[in-house]
C-alpha cells in the first residue's frame, strides 16, 4: 500500500495503451500477478509536471465493463475498486485510437459514469492524419467534458501535455469515495452517443470513411438492415439454380459421354458395371452439383471480402440475443453453411462455455454444402422450373425455404438448450466495423478454387469409396429372376430392416437404403439412389436415365417432401460427430446431439409426409 495517487491506464485492445505506458514510465516498472488469478499486473512510477509522483497501472485492454475473460474481469474490478489487493484508482487515463474514434469512445463514455477524474489520450493522431482524418480536439473535449490530449505513444509525442493535464485533473477534481453513479454494463447503449460525438469532432475525413458511414446508415438500420440481408440471401439462392443450368448440362454431357465410351469399350461384366454404374454414374451424380456449390460460395466470398459479412453479424446479434446466444456465435454458424466441422472448430473463439456448447450443438442444423446435392436433385425432380414473378423462380424459393428452415430450427433448438442443459447468462458482443471495399478478383478466384478442390477431393475419396462399397453390396448376391436386385442384395436386406422404422414417415425401400451411407457423407444419398435405380433398371438405357427423372416417376410429392424434411435435420456425418467428441472431451454431448437431431428428423419427415398426404399430394 502506498500514499501516492494511483492512476489506471485503460482502453480498448490495440489502442496503443501499453506503448503509452512504456513511454511514460520507461524502466521504472514492476510486473507481478493479481492475487488469485494469472493476470499480470504492470505498474510504474512517473513524476507529474508539478513534481508529484504517481503510480501508473496498465490494465488489460477491454471493450467494456462487461467482461468476457479473466483479463477483462481484472480491468472491471480495478476501476470499480473491487479487485482484491488493489486500491481504487484516483484517476483514469483512457487511451483511444484516433483512427477508430466512434468505436473507442463507447468505452470512454461508460468509464465517465464512474465519476473519477479522467483524461483522454487521443493516440495515433499521426495515423489519422495520414488517412486524411482531422479531429477537432477542443470540440471533442467539450463534448466529453474532460481533457483530451493528442499523443503518438510510439514516438513519445504528447507526453508532457498528458502529464500536465493529469496533474491539473488530480489537483482540481475531487475524488469520490465511492462511484458517483450506477454504471450501465451494456456498452451498446453508448454506441449512438459515441457516433454523434465522433461526427461532431471530425472536421474532415477521407471519402472512403464517408462512403462507409453512408452505406452503414442503410446496412445497419434496424428495419432496412434485415430487409437488405434477406434480399441478398434471396438473390443468392435464386442464382444457385438459375445460373447453374448451363454448366450442369455440360457436366451431365461429359458424364454421359464417359459412360457411353466405357460401355462401348469394355466387355459386359463386373468391371464394366462397376465402372459405369458405381463410379461414373454414382460419383457423377454428385459432381454434377459443383456449379451450384461454386455459385453459393461466390456470394459468400464476395460478401466477406466487401466487409458486409461483419454487418450481417451485427444484425444477427439482435436475433441471437433473443435465443440465448451472442453475435460471437454468428461466425461459427455462418461457417457451418460450408461444413459443420470448421464451424464447430470456430466456436473456440467463444469464451462462455455454455454459449460455446450450445453453438456446437446447433451448428449442424445450419445447411452445409453437403445437403445441397440432395436438395437440388429432389427440387429439380418435383418442383416446376417456373417463374413466380419477374426474376423469381419457384425452385429458388423452395431452396431458400429449406435454408431458412435450418436457421429457424437452429434458433429454436438454441432457445431450448439454453433454457435447459446450458442454462445461464450469456455474454455481450462487440465488433469493429471494417471499411467497405471492392473484393479483389484474385482472392475470390483463389477462394473458389479452394472450395471446388475440397468438394472434388471429397468426391474422389469418401464419396467414391462409399459409392463403390454400396454398389458391391447392392449387386451381390445376384437376385434370381423375378426378384428385385436392390431388395435381394446385402444392402437391400439391411435396408429392409430399416424400412420397418422409416416406412411410417413415408420412406420407401430405396430411401431407407440411401440414408445408411449418407451417415458417411450426405451427398452419398444422391449417388446411392443413382446406384440402386441403375442396378434395378431393366436395361442400360433405362439405367443411364437422369436421376431426377427416375425419382419423379417413382416417388410421390409427399414422399419427396418428407425426404427433404429429413435432410433439414438429418443426423450428422461421422466426421462431424468425431469433431464434436474432440471439442467436448467425451461422448456425452455427441450422443445428445445425435439423439435430438434424429428425433427432429424423424418427427419433421413424418409430419411433412402425413400433412402432404392429407392435402392430397401423396
Amino acid at each position: 500500500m502506498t500514499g501516492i495517487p494511483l492512476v489506471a491506464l485503460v482502453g480498448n485492445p490495440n489502442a496503443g495503451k501499453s506503448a503509452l505506458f512504456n513511454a511514460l514510465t520507461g524502466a521504472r516498472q514492476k510486473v507481478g500477478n493479481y492475487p488469485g488469478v494469472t493476470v499480470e499486473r504492470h505498474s510504474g512510477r512517473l513524476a507529474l509536471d508539478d513534481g508529484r509522483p504517481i503510480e501508473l497501472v496498465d490494465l488489460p485492454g477491454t471493450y467494456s465493463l462487461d467482461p468476457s475473460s479473466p483479463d477483462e474481469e481484472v480491468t472491471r474490478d480495478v476501476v470499480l475498486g473491487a479487485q482484491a489487493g488493489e486500491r481504487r484508482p484516483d484517476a483514469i487515463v483512457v487511451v483511444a485510437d484516433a483512427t477508430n474514434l466512434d468505436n473507442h469512445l463507447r468505452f470512454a463514455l461508460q468509464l465517465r459514469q464512474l465519476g473519477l477524474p479522467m483524461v483522454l489520450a487521443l493516440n495515433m493522431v499521426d495515423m489519422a492524419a495520414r488517412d486524411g482524418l482531422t479531429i477537432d480536439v477542443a470540440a471533442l473535449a467539450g463534448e466529453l467534458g474532460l481533457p483530451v490530449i493528442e499523443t503518438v505513444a510510439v514516438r513519445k509525442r504528447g507526453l508532457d501535455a498528458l502529464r500536465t493535464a493529469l496533474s491539473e485533473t488530480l489537483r482540481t477534481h475531487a475524488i469520490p469515495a465511492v462511484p458517483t453513479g450506477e454504471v450501465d454494463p451494456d456498452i451498446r447503449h453508448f454506441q449512438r452517443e459515441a457516433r454523434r460525438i465522433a461526427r461532431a469532432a471530425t472536421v474532415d475525413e477521407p471519402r472512403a470513411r464517408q462512403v462507409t458511414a453512408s452505406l452503414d446508415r442503410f446496412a445497419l438500420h434496424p428495419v432496412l438492415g434485415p430487409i437488405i440481408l434477406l434480399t441478398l440471401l434471396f438473390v443468392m439462392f435464386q442464382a444457385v439454380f438459375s445460373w447453374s443450368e448451363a454448366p450442369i448440362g455440360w457436366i451431365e454431357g461429359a458424364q454421359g459421354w464417359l459412360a457411353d465410351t466405357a460401355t462401348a469399350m469394355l466387355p459386359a461384366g463386373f468391371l464394366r458395371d462397376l465402372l459405369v454404374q458405381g463410379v461414373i454414374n454414382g460419383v457423377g451424380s454428385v459432381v454434377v452439383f459443383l456449379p451450384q456449390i461454386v455459385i453459393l460460395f461466390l456470394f459468400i466470398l464476395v460478401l466477406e471480402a466487401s466487409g458486409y459479412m461483419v454487418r450481417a453479424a451485427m444484425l444477427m446479434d439482435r436475433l441471437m440475443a433473443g435465443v440465448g446466444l451472442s453475435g460471437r456465435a454468428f461466425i461459427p454458424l455462418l461457417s457451418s453453411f460450408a461444413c459443420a466441422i470448421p464451424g464447430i472448430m470456430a466456436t473456440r473463439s467463444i469464451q462462455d462455455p455454455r454459449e460455446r456448447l450450445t453453438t456446437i450443438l446447433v451448428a449442424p442444423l445450419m445447411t452445409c454444402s453437403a445437403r445441397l446435392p440432395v436438395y437440388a436433385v429432389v427440387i429439380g425432380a418435383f418442383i416446376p422450373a417456373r417463374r413466380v414473378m419477374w426474376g423469381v423462380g419457384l425452385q429458388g424459393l423452395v431452396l431458400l425455404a429449406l435454408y431458412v428452415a435450418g436457421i429457424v430450427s437452429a434458433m429454436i433448438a438454441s432457445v431450448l438448450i439454453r433454457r435447459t442443459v446450458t442454462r445461464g447468462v450469456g455474454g455481450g458482443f462487440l465488433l469493429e466495423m471494417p471499411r467497405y471495399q471492392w473484393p479483389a478478383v484474385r482472392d475470390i478466384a483463389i477462394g473458389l478454387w479452394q472450395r471446388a478442390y475440397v468438394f472434388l477431393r471429397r468426391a474422389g475419396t469418401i464419396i467414391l469409396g462409399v459409392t463403390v462399397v454400396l454398389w458391391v453390396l447392392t449387386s451381390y448376391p445376384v437376385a434370381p429372376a423375378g426378384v428385385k436386385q436392390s431388395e435381394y442384395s446385402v444392402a437391400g436386406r439391411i435396408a429392409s430392416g430399416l424400412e420397418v422404422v422409416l416406412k411410417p414417415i413415408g420412406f420407401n425401400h430405396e430411401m431407407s437404403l440411401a440414408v445408411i451411407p449418407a451417415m458417411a457423407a450426405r451427398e452419398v444419398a444422391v449417388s446411392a439412389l443413382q446406384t440402386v435405380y441403375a442396378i434395378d433398371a431393366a436395361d442400360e438405357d433405362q439405367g443411364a436415365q437422369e436421376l431426377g427423372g427416375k425419382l419423379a416417376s417413382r416417388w410421390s410429392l409427399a414422399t419427396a417432401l418428407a425426404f427433404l424434411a429429413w435432410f433439414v435435420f438429418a443426423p450428422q456425418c461421422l466426421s462431424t460427430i468425431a469433431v464434436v467428441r474432440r471439442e467436448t472431451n467425451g461422448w456425452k454431448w455427441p450422443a445428445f446431439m445425435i439423439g435430438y437431431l434424429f428425433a427432429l428428423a424423424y418427427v419433421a419427415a413424418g409430419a411433412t409426409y402425413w400433412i402432404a398426404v392429407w392435402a392430397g399430394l401423396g
Side-chain angles (χ1 to χ4, degrees):
M1 184 69 69
T2 175
I4 66 173
L6 177 68
V7 177
L9 199 60
V10 192
N12 286 21
N14 304 316
K17 186 169 51 59
S18 295
L20 185 59
F21 174 76
N22 292 332
L24 286 169
T25 60
R28 302 178 297 277
Q29 298 183 10
K30 291 182 180 178
V31 179
N33 266 32
Y34 287 99
V37 294
T38 58
V39 179
E40 288 186 341
R41 180 184 188 274
H42 294 261
S43 66
R45 290 195 176 192
L46 71 150
L48 300 179
D49 62 344
D50 58 5
R52 285 186 298 166
I54 64 167
E55 182 181 10
L56 188 66
V57 58
D58 182 18
L59 296 179
T62 180
Y63 294 103
S64 74
L65 296 179
D66 181 21
S68 59
S69 68
D71 286 17
E72 295 179 3
E73 285 181 8
V74 166
T75 298
R76 179 201 60 186
D77 291 346
V78 169
V79 297
L80 292 178
Q83 177 64 42
E86 184 72 277
R87 55 200 170 104
R88 185 161 175 257
D90 300 295
I92 293 175
V93 174
V94 186
V95 185
D97 180 357
T99 65
N100 196 6
L101 192 58
D102 50 350
N103 287 325
H104 285 232
L105 283 183
R106 283 186 309 236
F107 190 26
L109 291 173
Q110 189 184 35
L111 290 169
R112 194 178 62 175
Q113 286 192 323
L114 294 172
L116 289 168
M118 198 162 91
V119 175
L120 187 137
L122 188 63
N123 200 27
M124 303 187 197
V125 289
D126 58 334
M127 303 293 287
R130 185 203 61 184
D131 293 344
L133 183 64
T134 305
I135 296 173
D136 186 338
V137 175
L140 179 60
E143 291 284 349
L144 292 172
L146 52 88
V148 176
I149 307 299
E150 292 181 301
T151 61
V152 181
V154 294
R155 301 184 186 280
K156 298 186 178 181
R157 282 173 46 189
L159 302 187
D160 291 339
L162 182 60
R163 278 190 285 262
T164 301
L166 188 55
S167 175
E168 183 68 12
T169 299
L170 284 169
R171 187 178 62 81
T172 59
H173 287 71
I175 302 170
V178 294
T180 56
E182 184 175 344
V183 178
D184 188 342
D186 190 349
I187 194 74
R188 290 173 295 189
H189 294 167
F190 300 100
Q191 182 63 69
R192 183 176 300 175
E193 179 65 5
R195 287 177 180 162
R196 186 195 67 76
I197 293 176
R199 281 197 300 272
T202 301
V203 177
D204 191 20
E205 61 180 342
R207 179 170 173 72
R209 290 175 62 95
Q210 296 175 8
V211 171
T212 293
S214 300
L215 291 176
D216 277 347
R217 291 192 187 100
F218 298 97
L220 298 178
H221 190 274
V223 177
L224 292 177
I227 293 175
I228 293 172
L229 177 59
L230 285 176
T231 302
L232 288 172
L233 294 176
F234 174 80
V235 171
M236 181 171 72
F237 291 118
Q238 288 293 321
V240 164
F241 267 100
S242 59
W243 294 4
S244 63
E245 290 180 1
I248 284 179
W250 301 336
I251 297 175
E252 287 178 339
Q255 176 188 337
W257 178 82
L258 281 174
D260 292 342
T261 303
T263 302
M265 295 182 64
L266 297 173
F270 172 83
L271 181 60
R272 190 176 78 176
D273 290 345
L274 172 63
L275 185 62
V276 175
Q277 297 176 359
V279 177
I280 297 177
N281 289 336
V283 177
S285 63
V286 176
V287 174
V288 76
F289 297 104
L290 175 63
Q292 293 181 328
I293 290 174
V294 169
I295 292 169
L296 179 67
F297 279 106
L298 172 64
F299 275 85
I300 292 175
L301 290 170
V302 169
L303 292 177
E304 283 180 345
S306 65
Y308 178 78
M309 203 59 89
V310 178
R311 274 79 182 175
M314 288 298 294
L315 292 172
M316 292 300 294
D317 182 54
R318 297 167 188 167
L319 172 63
M320 290 184 173
V323 300
L325 299 176
S326 72
R328 285 190 180 91
F330 178 75
I331 299 300
L333 293 180
L334 183 69
S335 301
S336 298
F337 275 117
C339 177
I341 293 173
I344 290 169
M345 294 175 67
T347 61
R348 295 172 184 175
S349 63
I350 302 175
Q351 285 91 356
D352 186 291
R354 294 180 294 258
E355 184 179 336
R356 179 172 183 249
L357 177 59
T358 305
T359 307
I360 289 174
L361 295 176
V362 304
L365 285 169
M366 309 305 285
T367 304
C368 67
S369 58
R371 287 182 172 108
L372 188 56
V374 181
Y375 289 168
V377 72
V378 177
I379 291 173
F382 290 92
I383 306 301
R386 70 164 182 256
R387 289 183 178 179
V388 177
M389 60 181 72
W390 185 85
V392 180
L394 182 59
Q395 292 182 332
L397 276 180
V398 174
L399 182 64
L400 174 61
L402 290 170
Y403 272 75
V404 171
I407 296 171
V408 171
S409 302
M411 297 300 103
I412 294 174
S414 176
V415 171
L416 297 176
I417 292 172
R418 288 290 281 157
R419 292 184 178 180
T420 53
V421 295
T422 63
R423 187 182 305 165
V425 179
F429 170 63
L430 284 172
L431 272 180
E432 292 191 5
M433 295 292 163
R435 297 175 191 172
Y436 289 105
Q437 59 183 351
W438 286 109
V441 175
R442 182 175 180 274
D443 294 341
I444 299 297
I446 292 174
L448 288 178
W449 161 247
Q450 290 173 337
R451 267 68 175 187
Y453 174 74
V454 168
F455 177 75
L456 291 174
R457 186 180 62 183
R458 190 176 168 91
T461 53
I462 297 175
I463 296 173
L464 174 62
V466 174
T467 301
V468 168
V469 170
L470 181 66
W471 181 85
V472 173
L473 293 177
T474 53
S475 300
Y476 297 97
V478 177
V483 178
K484 290 181 69 174
Q485 178 62 37
S486 63
E487 296 179 354
Y488 190 78
S489 64
V490 173
R493 295 177 190 187
I494 297 173
S496 296
L498 187 59
E499 188 181 1
V500 176
V501 179
L502 297 179
K503 193 171 184 179
I505 63 173
F507 281 23
N508 57 30
H509 185 266
E510 292 78 13
M511 296 162 71
S512 302
L513 193 152
V515 299
I516 300 174
M519 285 292 292
R522 288 192 179 92
E523 311 96 310
V524 180
V526 175
S527 60
L529 290 170
Q530 173 70 33
T531 302
V532 171
Y533 286 122
I535 286 176
D536 281 341
D539 52 53
E540 292 183 347
D541 289 339
Q542 188 180 355
Q545 184 186 354
E546 184 248 339
L547 179 59
K550 297 173 188 173
L551 300 184
S553 63
R554 290 171 172 81
W555 293 8
S556 68
L557 180 55
T559 298
L561 294 176
F563 199 61
L564 289 176
W566 172 274
F567 273 92
V568 170
F569 304 98
Q572 291 306 291
C573 64
L574 297 177
S575 302
T576 301
I577 294 170
V579 170
V580 174
R581 189 256 170 221
R582 187 183 68 192
E583 296 296 317
T584 59
N585 296 318
W587 285 106
K588 174 185 174 182
W589 294 114
F592 174 84
M593 185 186 74
I594 295 170
Y596 99 83
L597 288 176
F598 183 83
L600 281 178
Y602 194 85
V603 171
T608 302
Y609 176 74
W610 287 110
I611 291 174
V613 170
W614 174 78
L617 303 177

